Structure formats: structure tokens, C-alpha cells
Amino acid sequence: MEIIGDSFDELYVSDFKLPDSKKLGFLVRALESNNRVSEFLKFYLGPHPMIRHEACAGCGDCARYCPPKAIKMVEGKPRIDLNACIRCYCCQELCPHKAVVIRRNWFFRLFK
């Protein structure tokens, strides 16, 4: 068997640091529970994708590759249905024009 590609040692990031989640521990525990309050907090306070229309070329890649089909092209520009969005962020990863950004609520930006 021949293994091709980069070795693990070449890809290893020695100075990688995990994000500090201690500051938001109380909120993380609340979000992990299954109740209406946690669903509300996840939806309204959690991060979500947002289209920067000035950077968007209207190629439609975000809509084409969105797993739940939460993005529709309207007059050549993408529109995100946040109710259908599963927060996988494929749209951001695949946008060749970097027109999709992740919008974080002001509350969470306080802890950054």
C-alpha cells in the first residue's frame, strides 16, 4: 500500500490554541439543554451566515452547495432563509469571492 500526500508532521500546527470557552460556560450549558429558551438563544444570539452583497458576484455557488437549500438566488443575489439554515457554514467556505461572512451577535463579541 502506498500513501500519498503530505505527512502528518508537515501538517501539524504546534502553536494551535483552543478558544477559551470558560468565559461563556454558563451560556454553553444553557444552549446544550433542549428547551424553547435554548432554541431561542441559539437562533437569535448564535452566529449565522450573512451575505456581503457588495462583494457578491452572483455566481450562485452558495445556493447550489447549501445542504438544506436555505439559500435562494433572488434577482442574481443570494438570500438566506435563517429558519432553514443549519449553520454548517458551507456557503462561507465555498464562496470564491469571500462574500459570505459569519455574523456574530454583539453579546458574543463582548467576550472575544
Side-chain angles (χ1 to χ4, degrees):
M1 180 183 339
E2 179 183 1
I3 299 175
I4 56 174
D6 297 328
S7 72
F8 178 75
D9 293 332
E10 292 173 319
L11 299 174
Y12 181 74
V13 179
S14 61
D15 60 344
F16 179 78
K17 294 180 180 155
L18 289 171
D20 183 12
S21 61
K22 293 176 188 171
K23 294 178 184 175
L24 294 174
F26 72 96
L27 192 55
V28 170
R29 285 187 297 278
L31 293 176
E32 288 172 348
S33 64
N34 290 324
N35 60 43
R36 289 183 183 189
V37 173
S38 68
E39 292 303 314
F40 173 83
L41 291 173
K42 283 181 195 177
F43 186 80
Y44 289 103
L45 295 182
H48 61 273
M50 183 179 84
I51 307 295
R52 292 185 317 121
H53 290 286
E54 70 278 358
C56 179
C59 68
D61 281 355
C62 55
R64 189 171 17 266
Y65 299 115
C66 179
K69 303 297 182 206
I71 303 175
K72 305 287 185 230
M73 297 300 289
V74 178
E75 297 179 8
K77 296 293 181 179
R79 298 282 184 255
I80 302 174
D81 176 1
L82 291 178
N83 289 318
C85 179
I86 61 172
R87 311 312 202 257
C88 66
Y89 308 118
C90 289
C91 52
Q92 182 204 25
E93 292 177 24
L94 297 173
C95 179
H97 306 285
K98 307 290 186 225
V100 182
V101 295
I102 304 305
R103 172 103 163 74
R104 288 173 176 77
N105 185 281
W106 66 269
F107 179 76
F108 287 100
R109 284 183 269 161
L110 292 174
F111 294 97
K112 189 173 180 184

